[in-house]
Amino acid sequence: MGRAAVVWLAAAAALLQGAGCATRPAAPAAAEPVRGVTPGKFVWHDLVTSAPGPCRRFYAELLGWQFEDTQRNGKPYAIAHLGDERVAGIVAKSASAAEKGSQWVGYVSVQDVDRTVAEAVKAGGRALVAPREIETIARAAVIADAEGAVLGLARIHRGDPPDEAGPREGRFFWMEYFARDPQAALSFYTGLLGYQSEVREELAGLAYHVLKSQRPRAGLLPVPQEGMRPAWLPYVMVQDPAALSARVESLGGTVLFAPRADVRKGTLAIVADPSGAPIALQKWPIS
Amino acid sequence: MRPLARALALLLVLLAAACQSSSAGMGMDFDSGGPGWNNFSGGKVFGAPL
């Protein structure tokens, strides 16, 4: 077994514990009382894409999402549903940015968006979208961290959705950060978001760090490939990653990593949607 | 009263739907490239003996 595969098994162990951190980003009824804020918890995911139409079809066919056309701050915005639950959003990239690539952006909960952006800039990051009000929903911003990876910050005015008991099919439930310099990235994120980190396993020079805020929220590991830019990779729970990845190309996407028996027992696929945005499809539980 | 009650119930349903339709999601675009994983050779990366 290769050392990378061993690290992935360590990651699986972390996921096993972290499964309880699955979020439920759907908006509750308006009458629901104000909830608490859990800094470090991922509370929403947006796909920022140059191809919203093909991506809608891709995710509808692959994950069963249905879309509601709406607007955010006067611009078109599609919200993905599973049943009556909102699971994600799709934003069309502006014409000036359309050629720069598409990606999923995870929004992490913070107490104070403005202060966190200022601290991120001080730590070597930069603001891609300055703090702003998202209608009456949240105050939010988008940053690039010190390695250039994109992350959303949000303070949802009604508080964060509660943690769930475990992952549910078709929903985001885990995040992984691929770092060029893991120690620097750890320093950045523990300082910025207050995470505690724990090395779950370290073998042959590769380590899997679990970032905790009350409970595991994300993993952090080195970029495994020369030339691969640091980025956050979102995980969606699926029942059959092999069957889904077999359909990806016919839906206009690309299989980046097909399930392999020696990596999490064949339960992981990493694919790119028609606009090139990577997303991980993870069967749960692993065994 | 019954028509009024029905009208109020309908109004509440519509209000709830209106609130629901605008109570999730960020929807922000930005000028930055994607992660550039187009050449991601997963098979070589995650499963190969190193």
Side-chain angles (χ1 to χ4, degrees):
Chain A
M1 178 185 295
R3 63 181 181 176
V6 173
V7 170
W8 278 103
L9 288 176
L15 276 167
L16 186 61
Q17 182 178 343
C21 76
T23 60
R24 182 174 187 159
E32 186 167 311
V34 172
R35 303 164 299 199
V37 174
T38 308
K41 174 178 177 167
F42 284 86
V43 293
W44 188 253
H45 294 80
D46 269 348
L47 173 64
V48 184
T49 176
S50 57
C55 286
R56 284 173 64 139
R57 288 190 289 276
F58 178 83
Y59 289 107
E61 291 291 327
L62 198 69
L63 300 176
W65 292 353
Q66 295 182 311
F67 290 92
E68 167 195 3
D69 289 308
T70 180
Q71 291 195 335
R72 283 292 173 275
N73 291 345
K75 294 184 178 179
Y77 182 57
I79 294 182
H81 290 247
L82 272 175
D84 61 355
E85 183 178 344
R86 295 176 171 83
V87 296
I90 292 185
V91 188
K93 288 181 78 75
S94 64
S96 62
E99 294 181 358
K100 292 190 175 179
S102 303
Q103 62 193 302
W104 278 99
V105 179
Y107 282 84
V108 67
S109 176
V110 297
Q111 286 283 4
D112 186 323
V113 172
D114 298 62
R115 188 180 67 207
T116 307
V117 169
E119 290 173 352
V121 170
K122 191 176 178 182
R126 59 195 172 97
L128 297 177
V129 180
R132 64 182 59 175
E133 290 297 319
I134 308 299
E135 300 185 349
T136 59
I137 302 165
R139 187 160 182 84
V142 180
I143 62 167
D145 68 18
E147 294 196 334
V150 174
L151 179 70
L153 308 172
R155 173 70 164 84
I156 299 176
H157 294 316
R158 288 190 298 152
D160 297 333
D163 285 328
E164 292 196 2
R168 292 184 300 145
E169 187 175 4
R171 280 84 168 175
F172 291 99
F173 75 103
W174 188 248
M175 292 287 281
E176 265 170 7
Y177 184 76
F178 290 82
R180 185 177 294 125
D181 182 341
Q183 287 307 317
L186 274 174
S187 176
F188 183 91
Y189 283 109
T190 54
L192 190 71
L193 301 175
Y195 285 130
Q196 293 95 43
S197 76
E198 174 184 310
V199 178
R200 213 34 89 73
E201 192 160 345
E202 185 166 12
L203 292 170
L206 292 175
Y208 192 91
H209 299 267
V210 177
L211 304 179
K212 293 183 175 180
S213 170
Q214 297 183 7
R215 61 201 318 182
R217 302 292 177 186
L220 187 152
L221 66 165
V223 287
Q225 181 178 333
E226 193 70 28
M228 186 174 156
R229 288 208 292 270
W232 284 96
L233 177 68
Y235 274 68
V236 170
M237 184 205 159
V238 301
Q239 292 290 347
D240 192 341
L244 293 180
S245 59
R247 298 180 58 204
V248 161
E249 290 195 5
S250 69
L251 297 173
T254 307
V255 177
L256 301 176
F257 177 73
R260 302 174 51 122
D262 60 343
V263 177
R264 296 185 192 171
K265 301 180 181 179
T267 60
L268 170 67
I270 302 175
V271 304
D273 67 25
S275 63
I279 187 170
L281 309 174
Q282 175 71 62
K283 181 183 178 184
W284 195 264
I286 288 175
S287 56
Chain B
M1 281 300 291
R2 291 182 63 186
L4 179 60
R6 279 200 297 272
L8 282 172
L10 177 62
L11 181 62
L12 286 173
V13 168
L14 290 173
L15 279 173
C19 291
Q20 184 83 350
S21 68
S22 63
S23 56
M26 305 301 161
M28 293 195 291
D29 179 25
F30 49 85
D31 189 4
S32 176
W37 289 7
N38 302 358
N39 297 321
F40 185 97
S41 55
K44 293 179 183 174
V45 173
F46 295 114
L50 300 176

